[in-house]
């Protein structure tokens, strides 16, 4: 079987849409709401979670035949905690301002439902390469939703993207006003709801009878 067989392609691609962890499985919603008032922290959190899920999946997959069943959750938590610590230190070294914006949410990656869900549901029963693809796919699926939410919240709430003013000043001179509600947490939930509505309207098989 090739490295990117049809099965492996499905493992990588399905979480981007048909089996998205946020808008289909409803995992990781809390952090999606908490860190998306700006686009930059959304991107950084997306990259961080993708890296942690991918490498945690690989490590647990490599150890799956040696981990006693009764302590598997403890081992998974230790692996995830170590990876999250590494990510946190890298952010402090190279993206300190963004790390401050993310605050405690970097450390709380360890409690992200997507992580433990993929370790339990996939990495413990599949090889390292498949587990890596699964981790990358689910991380990117999660990150895609964060970036979409962050894009619209920052654009409509602050008139900027990545801190750069993108709405022309002439609009403000004509009376345009930023929607301050967009940077409040409740609006993140509404944006998620709109994304779910659009997604399910385009994927009829996901609609409940």
């Amino acid at each position: 079987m090739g490295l990117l067989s049809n099965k492996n392609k499905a493992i990588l691609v399905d979480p981007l849409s048909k089996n998205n962890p946020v808008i289909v499985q409803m995992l990781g919603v809390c952090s999606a709401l908490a860190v998306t008032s700006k686009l930059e922290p959304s991107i950084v959190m997306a990259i961080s979670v993708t890296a942690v899920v991918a490498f945690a999946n690989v490590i647990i997959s490599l150890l799956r035949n040696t981990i006693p069943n009764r302590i598997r959750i403890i081992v998974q938590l230790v692996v995830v905690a170590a990876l999250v610590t590494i990510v946190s230190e890298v952010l402090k070294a190279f993206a300190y301002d963004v790390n401050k914006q993310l605050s405690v949410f970097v450390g709380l990656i360890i409690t992200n439902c997507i992580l433990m869900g993929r370790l339990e549901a996939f990495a413990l029963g599949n090889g390292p390469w498949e587990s890596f693809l699964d981790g990358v796919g689910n991380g990117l699926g999660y990150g895609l939703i964060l970036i979409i939410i962050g894009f619209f919240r920052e654009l409509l709430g602050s008139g900027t993207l990545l801190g750069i003013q993108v709405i022309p000043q002439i609009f403000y001179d004509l009376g345009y006003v930023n929607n301050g509600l967009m940077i409040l947490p409740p609006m993140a939930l509404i944006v998620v709801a709109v994304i779910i509505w659009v997604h399910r309207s385009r994927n009829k098989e996901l609609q409940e009878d």
Side-chain angles (χ1 to χ4, degrees), residues 32-204:
L33 305 182
V35 302
T36 54
S37 60
K38 300 287 184 182
L39 183 57
E40 187 177 20
S42 301
I43 294 172
V44 172
M45 178 62 89
I47 295 171
S48 300
V49 170
T50 300
V52 172
V53 179
F55 288 106
N57 262 13
V58 171
I59 294 170
I60 293 301
S61 177
L62 289 171
L63 298 176
R64 69 188 188 281
N65 294 324
T66 62
I67 303 173
N69 188 60
R70 64 183 181 277
I71 63 167
R72 73 184 191 285
I73 299 297
I74 297 174
V75 174
Q76 291 170 17
L77 288 172
V78 170
V79 170
V80 172
L83 291 171
V84 169
T85 300
I86 293 171
V87 167
S88 178
E89 294 304 313
V90 169
L91 289 178
K92 287 178 183 177
F94 298 103
Y96 184 73
D97 290 340
V98 179
N99 185 69
K100 286 179 64 178
Q101 292 180 54
L102 291 173
S103 184
V104 299
F105 294 103
V106 174
L108 289 176
I109 291 175
I110 191 173
T111 65
N112 194 309
C113 301
I114 298 171
L115 270 165
M116 300 307 294
R118 299 325 299 165
L119 295 178
E120 279 286 298
F122 199 91
L124 284 174
N126 292 274
W129 176 243
E130 292 81 4
S131 297
F132 177 75
L133 293 178
D134 179 77
V136 171
N138 278 275
L140 292 178
Y142 167 85
L144 176 64
I145 302 304
L146 256 67
I147 290 170
I148 292 173
I149 299 170
F151 175 89
F152 285 106
R153 290 184 70 193
E154 181 174 359
L155 177 64
L156 299 177
S158 304
T160 62
L161 288 175
L162 298 175
I164 301 171
Q165 188 72 37
V166 294
I167 295 181
Q169 182 59 41
I170 189 172
F171 281 37
Y172 295 100
D173 294 340
L174 293 173
Y176 177 82
V177 178
N178 292 326
N179 186 349
L181 290 174
M182 289 300 295
I183 61 177
L184 299 178
M187 287 306 298
L189 189 61
I190 293 175
V191 175
V192 171
V194 171
I195 294 173
I196 293 172
W197 172 67
V198 172
H199 182 261
R200 297 203 175 188
S201 68
R202 296 172 61 88
N203 295 272
K204 304 296 185 182

